Amino acid sequence: MPVSAPQIVLERLHHLPGGKALLELAAGRDDVELVGGAVRDLLLGHTPRELDVVVADDAIGFAGELARRVGSLAGENPDERFESTFHERFRTALVWWGGGRIDIASRRAESYPAPGALPDVRPGSPEQDLLRRDFTVNAIAVSLTDAQMRSAPHAEEDMARGVLRVLHEQSFIDDPTRLLRMARYAARLGFEVEGSTATLAREAIVEGALGTVSGARIGTELRLALGEPGAVAALAAMSELGVLGALHPRLRFEEPVAGKALALLPEDGRADLALLASLVLPLVLRADGDPHAEIVALLDRWNFPAGDRDRVAAAAVAVPRLIEELGETERPSALRETALGVPLEGVSLAGALGAEEPARRWLEQTRHVHLEITGEDLLAAGIPEGPEIGYRLEAVLRRKLDDELASPGRDAELTAALDACV
Ligand code: CTP
């Protein structure tokens, strides 16, 4: 007998972290379903980022039992911490540990009190729970008890054809974050947006739907998109749809520039921040105020962590100066003077916009050159403690970079440090 699609889902689930515990718990009841992104990904043969589970009611009680069972099955790893968090308002619970995450929701129906607001939630039927969702391919549920599959209209054909389709005409107005989600899914899954869904998306953007959502929720979706392996394609899709322009009139995504910047970015750089810096770069290139403050205010509105916000702002703001000055630097010591202190993402972007060769030299070579001697060596040689130590070390590093030391090695560095005029 051929194996059905839901049976394949359950078979794959069995091998995922927490999957066995889920299936064991579900065997004693008839209301546990796998749903949403987890089913979509398993049907496509992908590994889901997390498991989404729906139960008839009392998600929180189910989460407690699940955490205990996952914990006892993971007995070989006693240090693993199992955490549960609960969201009364949305009737959801999350069980997470080092090895995985399982989201549990009680079946619910949703209504939106105002466009862009978070939904009001009430207990719902299995059907309502499917139809409250964003796209048909996320509205497929597989029962963990009897492997029956339920789905929203068109869901299975859309999965088979690789199509993203909203479940109703109000979808983007109710929840405009779905515009960003659609771009992310299209990029990640390689799915096409179905014709009338594309029209609804454009209409929602033109009507200003994105202006009704909080900056915090926009930020959450942007961070998810920036963190995807296919982030470039997701941002290109957002740009194409008009999402970026609706978020801020100056945002631009130049795919070739972003691609080049990522190719230049070293492993210790952050691709997500380089892409974000490329998005906000027009605020710097056509500045009429204080671009640094504008970028900080924008990223604050989107709730970016302060460290990431400051790194992106510093990277973007440095780009025009770097483009101008990097091109003129022949000597490695001058390269260091220009690029030192600028986040790697800013140097990569400047490289992508014209100063490619010096940017690459800085990122791949010059920034890694260090002295063999330290301040301790100078103290031991009788230089008094204080700023003079730093000046001498810097002078030697410049000479080392420019290949002006008598020979390689500590001795020549120490001699040059003691001889330096300060
Ligand atoms: N959902 C929705 N509208 C949103 C957010 C979520 O309808 N604005 C629904 C979708 O059905 C989605 C499910 O809630 O599949 C779970 O949300 P989430 O975990 O964000 O989505 P996944 O599809 O699991 O996404 P990913 O693969 O990125 O984890």
Side-chain angles (χ1 to χ4, degrees):
M1 206 170 75
V3 183
S4 69
Q7 280 167 335
I8 293 173
V9 166
L10 296 195
E11 169 54 26
R12 291 182 177 154
L13 173 64
H14 191 86
H15 300 287
L16 293 175
K20 191 158 175 264
L22 253 183
L23 286 161
E24 281 179 10
L25 256 190
R29 42 198 290 173
D30 60 6
D31 64 332
V32 188
E33 289 176 309
L34 194 69
V35 70
V39 173
R40 177 201 69 217
D41 289 343
L42 289 172
L43 285 172
L44 291 171
H46 302 170
T47 303
R49 213 169 42 112
E50 66 189 22
L51 299 176
D52 299 304
V53 172
V54 175
V55 293
D57 203 358
D58 192 19
I60 294 170
F62 185 81
E65 284 183 58
L66 182 64
R68 274 192 297 280
R69 187 168 295 243
V70 181
S72 68
L73 287 180
E76 69 274 16
N77 193 356
D79 294 335
E80 190 116 85
R81 268 158 51 89
F82 290 85
E83 307 271 353
S84 306
T85 49
F86 307 114
H87 219 309
E88 289 287 353
R89 173 169 177 191
F90 292 109
R91 304 163 46 82
T92 59
L94 173 67
V95 177
W96 51 277
W97 67 103
R101 282 167 61 102
I102 304 182
D103 242 321
I104 301 122
S106 311
R107 279 180 200 147
R108 65 186 196 251
E110 291 178 345
S111 45
Y112 288 82
L118 288 171
D120 288 334
V121 159
R122 59 187 187 281
S125 67
E127 195 181 23
Q128 283 171 318
D129 191 75
L130 278 188
L131 297 182
R132 72 178 171 81
R133 293 167 188 275
D134 49 4
F135 301 101
T136 56
V137 295
N138 287 341
I140 305 177
V142 172
S143 160
L144 298 194
T145 317
D146 59 10
Q148 289 301 304
M149 190 153 88
R150 298 187 301 114
S151 56
H154 299 293
E156 288 168 49
E157 72 189 66
D158 289 346
M159 274 293 291
R161 289 174 45 222
V163 166
L164 290 170
R165 180 199 310 256
V166 284
L167 289 161
H168 58 86
E169 291 199 345
Q170 272 293 105
S171 188
F172 293 122
I173 302 293
D174 285 345
D175 181 353
T177 66
R178 291 172 175 166
L179 294 160
L180 286 84
R181 296 172 67 83
M182 185 167 77
R184 178 160 61 88
Y185 289 132
R188 183 194 317 159
L189 306 172
F191 280 19
E192 296 289 327
V193 176
E194 176 268 336
S196 58
T197 295
T199 305
L200 290 169
R202 286 187 200 286
E203 286 172 358
I205 290 169
V206 169
E207 284 166 28
L210 283 161
T212 65
V213 191
S214 71
R217 291 183 65 209
I218 297 288
T220 301
E221 288 298 335
L222 273 179
R223 280 185 288 281
L224 285 172
L226 290 166
E228 293 265 326
V232 168
L235 293 178
M238 282 184 204
S239 172
E240 226 267 306
L241 253 180
V243 167
L244 296 179
L247 293 181
H248 188 292
R250 289 272 185 87
L251 294 188
R252 290 278 174 286
F253 186 63
E254 306 279 351
E255 194 172 341
V257 172
K260 219 167 172 185
L262 291 189
L264 280 169
L265 190 70
E267 271 188 6
D268 50 340
R270 292 257 312 264
D272 57 339
L273 301 190
L275 290 172
L276 186 55
S278 85
L279 285 184
V280 299
L281 197 57
L283 274 79
V284 179
L285 298 179
R286 290 184 285 119
D288 44 18
D290 176 350
H292 188 276
E294 270 187 63
I295 294 171
V296 166
L298 184 61
L299 300 190
D300 273 345
R301 183 151 31 105
W302 291 337
N303 266 5
F304 273 84
D308 291 357
R309 172 201 70 197
D310 293 345
R311 186 157 158 177
V312 168
V317 165
V319 168
R321 178 183 67 78
L322 287 179
I323 294 175
E324 198 179 312
E325 293 179 14
L326 282 177
E328 292 162 8
T329 54
E330 283 296 318
R331 294 162 81 82
S333 61
L335 188 55
R336 174 177 152 87
E337 212 157 287
T338 303
L340 190 67
V342 178
L344 302 175
E345 297 76 19
V347 181
S348 303
L349 257 181
L353 285 162
E356 182 171 347
E357 192 280 330
R360 188 187 302 282
R361 233 181 333 125
W362 168 252
L363 293 168
E364 291 181 1
Q365 296 164 19
T366 315
R367 75 185 174 105
H368 297 299
V369 175
H370 299 291
L371 292 178
E372 291 182 35
I373 58 168
T374 66
E376 295 294 324
D377 296 306
L378 298 193
L379 285 171
I383 306 290
E385 200 173 331
E388 189 182 333
I389 301 263
Y391 299 145
R392 286 181 185 275
L393 290 172
E394 182 62 30
V396 184
L397 181 56
R398 278 202 301 272
R399 293 189 59 195
K400 177 170 178 166
L401 285 168
D402 294 343
D403 211 11
E404 290 174 359
L405 294 181
S407 59
R410 283 176 51 82
D411 291 349
E413 286 181 11
L414 193 56
T415 308
L418 297 176
D419 288 350
C421 304
V422 289

